[in-house]
Amino acid sequence: MTTKYGQGTGQMDPAELRSIFGANLRRLSRRYQSVAGLCRELGINRTQFNRYLSGESFPRPDVLYRICGFFGVDARILLEPVEAIQPDNRDLFSHPAVSEFLGHGSVNVAEDEFPSGFYRFSRPSFVNDNQFVVGLVYVFRRDGFCFVRGYEPKEAMRQQGLQTDAASREFRGVFLRQEQGVAALIARHKALTCSFNFLSRVSSYENNFWEGYATRTVRESLNGRRAARMVYEHIQTNQRAIFHTARHGGLTAREDLHPFHAKLLNLDVPFR
C-alpha cells in the first residue's frame, strides 16, 4: 500500500516530518519580535532552535513537550498544519457581555505606561505582621496582552502549609490599564485563589517606581491580612539589583527593606 507520506510503508518520511514541524514552528514564532527572546523564554539554545525552524532537526521528547506547552498545541505539530490543531481562541475580554467594559482599552497597557522587564517588589507579609516580602517578577507582552510571572518565597509558602517546589510557587497574571495606573489579577499554578494588585506611578529620579496595594481572595481572619500596600521598582537595566533580588529575595525584616521602598510603604500609617 502506498500513501502520500511514504512508499508503501504508511509512515511519513522523516524529512517530511521535519519540514512540517519547521513550518509550524515558523508560523508560531512569527508573533514574537525577537527569536533570541523567544529562545530565552523556551530555554532552548538559539542555534538548535534555528535547526528546528529550518527543518534540519527534531527536538527531544522533553523539549517537544516544552514547546507544545508554551504555544498551546500538542504533538500533532509534527504531523499537521498548526492551524488545524490550535484550539479556538476565546478572548474573554472580547466577549460581548464585557467588551465595552473590559475590552481592548483595558488590556492595551502601553510600554511607556508600564514597561516590560524585571521588577523588584516589596509588601508586608499577609501572614506575619513582623515580616515583609521582597521579590522579583518579570513583566512581558505577548499577543497584545501584558503579563507578569514570578515565584512566591519558600518561607511564605511553608508558613501557610503549602508545597515549596518551584511549580507550586510559580504565579502568573495579566495587567489591565486603569485610569490612574495598572491593575493585575494574579494566581499560582492551578490555584483557585488569586490576588488583585493596583499600582500607580510615583515621582522618582528615574521614574521607575509604582506604589499601590495587593489583596487576596480569602476569608477574613484574625491572624492575617487580606490587603497590604505594595511597591514595584523597575530594575531592568540594573543587573546587580536583579541578581541580588533573585538570590536574596524572600521574607525580610523592616530594617532590611530598601529605604525608598520603606518610605513608599508608609509603614507607620494604617492601610485603608
Side-chain angles (χ1 to χ4, degrees):
M1 175 181 176
T2 301
T3 73
K4 66 177 180 178
Y5 301 131
Q7 298 298 318
T9 64
Q11 297 180 352
M12 296 184 73
D13 180 82
E16 188 171 4
L17 281 171
R18 291 194 299 270
S19 177
I20 292 174
F21 176 70
N24 283 338
L25 195 57
R26 290 194 298 274
R27 290 191 188 95
L28 292 169
S29 301
R30 285 173 188 163
R31 293 177 288 176
Y32 301 89
Q33 295 181 347
S34 167
V35 174
L38 177 58
C39 290
R40 286 193 296 271
E41 286 280 331
L42 286 166
I44 298 175
N45 177 273
R46 171 71 181 272
T47 301
Q48 187 61 46
F49 190 75
N50 285 338
R51 295 186 67 194
Y52 300 153
L53 290 173
S54 64
E56 296 178 25
S57 177
F58 280 133
R60 300 191 314 266
D62 60 312
V63 177
L64 176 62
Y65 179 82
R66 194 187 317 159
I67 291 172
C68 290
F70 182 86
F71 288 113
V73 296
D74 57 43
R76 286 177 295 165
I77 193 175
L78 296 171
L79 304 171
E80 303 176 30
V82 70
E83 294 85 355
I85 60 177
Q86 283 189 297
D88 293 336
N89 184 20
R90 296 187 298 167
D91 182 358
L92 172 63
F93 296 105
S94 296
H95 193 283
V98 296
S99 61
E100 295 186 11
F101 301 86
L102 294 172
H104 178 73
S106 64
V107 300
N108 185 24
V109 180
E111 183 73 29
D112 59 349
E113 293 177 349
F114 196 67
S116 300
F118 287 101
Y119 286 77
R120 173 168 53 191
F121 73 87
S122 301
R123 64 165 173 79
S125 167
F126 286 130
V127 297
N128 190 319
D129 290 340
N130 298 316
Q131 292 183 313
F132 296 81
V133 177
V134 176
L136 187 72
V137 297
Y138 183 66
V139 172
F140 61 100
R141 284 166 168 80
R142 186 177 299 166
D143 301 329
F145 296 96
C146 181
F147 298 106
V148 62
R149 178 185 182 186
Y151 292 85
E152 296 280 5
K154 287 184 178 180
E155 308 97 299
M157 297 286 283
R158 192 176 293 114
Q159 287 181 2
Q160 300 174 70
L162 301 173
Q163 297 292 324
T164 60
D165 59 283
S168 298
R169 293 189 297 112
E170 182 180 4
F171 59 81
R172 297 193 187 192
V174 60
F175 275 100
L176 303 175
R177 184 183 181 190
Q178 301 292 292
E179 182 176 346
Q180 297 182 347
V182 293
L185 193 63
I186 299 173
R188 291 195 310 274
H189 187 240
K190 295 184 178 180
L192 291 178
T193 60
C194 66
S195 69
F196 173 85
N197 298 353
F198 173 76
L199 297 165
S200 182
R201 202 171 209 155
V202 296
S203 297
S204 63
Y205 180 73
E206 296 183 5
N207 203 30
N208 63 328
F209 280 88
W210 285 256
E211 65 177 356
Y213 57 87
T215 64
R216 56 180 185 154
T217 57
V218 296
R219 291 180 176 179
E220 184 177 7
S221 169
L222 298 177
N223 300 319
R225 294 185 177 94
R226 288 185 296 173
R229 289 192 181 97
M230 172 178 276
V231 172
Y232 263 47
E233 176 190 2
H234 190 235
I235 56 173
Q236 178 64 13
T237 59
N238 189 338
Q239 296 294 320
R240 181 178 179 182
I242 293 172
F243 289 125
H244 182 271
T245 307
R247 292 169 182 157
H248 303 290
L251 296 180
T252 189
R254 173 173 176 166
E255 57 268 21
D256 295 324
L257 287 171
H258 184 283
F260 196 56
H261 283 231
K263 178 181 178 181
L264 293 177
L265 287 172
N266 288 312
L267 299 177
D268 296 318
V269 179
F271 175 73
R272 59 182 182 180

